Amino acid sequence: MNNLVARETEVVVIGAGQAGLSSAYHLRRAGYEPDRDFVVLDHSPRPGGAWQFRWPSLTYGKVHGMHALPGMELTGADGSRPSSSVIGGYFADYERAFDLRVHRPVDVRAVRDGQDGRYGQDGRLTVESSEGLWSARALINATGTWDRPFWPRYPGQETFRGRQLHTAHYPGPQEFAGQRVVVVGGGTSAVQHLLEISEVAAATTWVTRRPPVFREGPFDEEWGRAAVARVEERVRRGLPPQSVVSVTGLPMTEAMERARAAGVLAPRPMFDRVTPTGVEWADGGTADADIILWATGFRAAVDHLAPLKLREPGGGIRMEGTRAARDPRVHLVGYGPSASTIGANRAGRAAVREIHALLGSSQPPVPAAV
Ligand SMILES: Cc1cc2nc3c(=O)[nH]c(=O)nc-3n(C[C@H](O)[C@H](O)[C@H](O)COP(=O)(O)OP(=O)(O)OC[C@H]3O[C@@H](n4cnc5c(N)ncnc54)[C@H](O)[C@@H]3O)c2cc1C
């Protein structure tokens, strides 16, 4: 790597999901030219961020609260089509409309401080990728969570003779037909999986670490703000963020009401061990299973930032707004409190405003027409 020449730019944006595209849009608006003043790198094969990988039965109509990217509405979408293709298509149109020139597939493996001497570029950040090096004065990390599915460990897990899979690889309900399925997790994904699978499976068992909180009534702005504030407080203290969705509770829909009445949404406490044929509780109770589906969430995909040593002893990255407290050149968009489509939009704008101020007078002065 040492003898590769780094391409110089002002800002590298890693990730072209909602957070990365929103940031790129605001960079354009602030006058930054794509491929000269900023580059967007993404390791997925197509436009769409994590949406491109979501299971086909998650239709656009089932996606609640998806906010459009800034500057271009998503109108007239057919609710019966998979969200992966609706949103993937919309993101592709967006990238074209604003000429964002996403480089893909480009996998970012590490980001280093120039001052660590490796590349001899004081004050700059070096981005190591599958397509070589970029050297930048600021970084917007918008890598989401999809690449880091979280699997908790339970005794006996490796002895299970059936199939185990995570939400990240959920194929839709068909493969569960006639099977006995244990679904683990108390979030929206677990409930969506259960509703679908219970229609075709021989039996379903739902286990959650904490009793799930169902929220009756509308999800209003005040409730949303309170949830975001809780996650914000965690990242300000350098703790790993909880997902915004996990603190908003589960909004009760009509389909969920029906499933609850039918006994499908009857959570049991977390089991104590996995056995070759299912799961077992400390009191000796068991549930036989052919499949265990871990809907246990995701963690921030930030391992490539490890050389920057941003983590606090609490395990998280301490944040001041979108800025990493330990390095003002580094902004995290879509992280913690901004890990929602509306949060990512706002954080993209805030990050660009701060980066623009940080980079100061050397920036192009005239906002580009986008
Ligand atoms: C099942 C599910 C349903 C959801 N539904 C909603 C909803 O209805 N409304 C809502 O507001 N939010 C929803 N969310 C949360 C939602 O995913 C986020 O709000 C938002 O879409 C995330 O955008 P992002 O840009 O941060 O991440 P992503 O969409 O994950 O984009 C990150 C991008 O970074 C790239 N990347 C990652 N690591 C690297 C690397 N090392 N090098 C290069 N590229 C990299 C990836 O390829 C990806 O394209 C949902 C989440 C899940 C899991």
Side-chain angles (χ1 to χ4, degrees):
M1 279 287 192
N2 265 332
N3 49 12
L4 287 179
V5 177
R7 282 152 282 185
E8 288 207 355
T9 185
E10 297 294 289
V11 187
V12 168
V13 179
I14 313 176
Q18 185 98 11
L21 293 186
S22 149
S23 303
Y25 167 88
H26 287 292
L27 283 167
R28 290 281 277 131
R29 285 204 62 176
Y32 293 69
E33 272 292 317
D35 282 345
R36 186 191 70 187
D37 305 318
F38 75 94
V39 292
V40 186
L41 311 176
D42 192 292
H43 68 191
S44 292
R46 296 176 300 278
W51 292 103
Q52 69 192 279
F53 303 113
R54 298 214 170 120
W55 52 97
S57 53
L58 183 64
T59 56
Y60 183 59
K62 286 190 194 164
V63 169
H64 297 293
M66 146 87 195
H67 283 258
L69 284 159
M72 188 170 129
E73 289 304 318
L74 196 182
T75 48
D78 176 354
S80 67
R81 281 178 54 212
S83 55
S84 53
S85 73
V86 171
I87 299 174
Y90 166 63
F91 278 24
D93 291 346
Y94 191 86
E95 289 176 16
R96 261 194 307 275
F98 296 108
D99 189 21
L100 300 178
R101 300 186 215 169
V102 176
H103 294 241
R104 65 165 63 86
V106 179
D107 182 42
V108 172
R109 289 157 184 176
V111 182
R112 295 181 193 280
D113 183 353
Q115 284 177 346
D116 77 5
R118 195 167 181 147
Y119 301 107
Q121 285 165 318
D122 280 0
R124 296 183 75 94
L125 294 160
T126 304
V127 176
E128 294 178 2
S129 83
S130 54
E131 299 296 312
L133 305 178
W134 270 272
S135 162
R137 295 173 69 205
L139 179 81
I140 295 181
N141 191 80
T143 45
T145 58
W146 190 256
D147 292 277
R148 274 203 64 203
F150 174 65
W151 294 67
R153 307 306 304 168
Y154 279 88
Q157 220 166 346
E158 65 294 341
T159 67
F160 184 59
R161 287 203 290 266
R163 179 177 174 202
Q164 300 189 62
L165 75 167
H166 189 276
T167 293
H169 306 110
Y170 176 66
Q174 300 80 2
E175 292 186 22
F176 297 79
Q179 307 283 301
R180 296 160 303 173
V181 185
V182 171
V183 177
V184 186
T188 314
S189 299
V191 170
Q192 286 181 347
H193 297 333
L194 268 169
L195 295 191
E196 294 187 345
I197 292 171
S198 60
E199 304 266 317
V200 296
T204 57
T205 305
W206 184 24
V207 293
T208 64
R209 207 153 45 89
R210 275 181 244 105
V213 180
F214 291 102
R215 196 170 38 72
E216 319 279 343
F219 180 79
D220 55 23
E221 251 188 54
E222 198 181 319
W223 178 263
R225 256 199 300 273
V228 166
R230 275 171 60 184
V231 186
E232 219 160 41
E233 172 55 23
R234 282 181 67 84
V235 298
R236 214 179 293 126
R237 288 161 47 208
L239 297 171
Q242 288 167 297
S243 80
V244 176
V245 182
S246 79
V247 294
T248 56
L250 293 164
M252 187 55 92
T253 63
E254 273 177 30
M256 283 161 70
E257 289 281 14
R258 280 197 302 276
R260 193 150 71 160
V264 171
L265 289 190
R268 298 182 64 176
M270 198 59 212
F271 47 74
D272 293 275
R273 58 175 50 255
V274 178
T275 66
T277 54
V279 296
E280 188 176 298
W281 285 264
D283 65 4
T286 58
D288 289 339
D290 305 301
I291 302 180
I292 303 175
L293 174 56
W294 298 89
T296 39
F298 296 81
R299 299 288 183 264
V302 289
D303 290 352
H304 54 283
L305 301 182
L308 297 177
K309 300 188 174 64
L310 302 175
R311 277 194 200 279
E312 301 294 330
I317 298 175
R318 193 156 58 82
M319 302 290 296
E320 285 160 3
T322 60
R323 179 170 18 94
R326 286 178 184 251
D327 192 330
R329 298 167 299 178
V330 178
H331 285 251
L332 272 60
V333 176
Y335 178 83
S338 65
S340 68
T341 51
I342 189 164
N345 282 359
R346 289 177 181 154
R349 188 177 54 202
V352 168
R353 198 178 293 147
E354 281 204 31
I355 285 175
H356 191 53
L358 176 81
L359 299 186
S361 57
S362 65
Q363 277 313 301
V366 188
V370 290

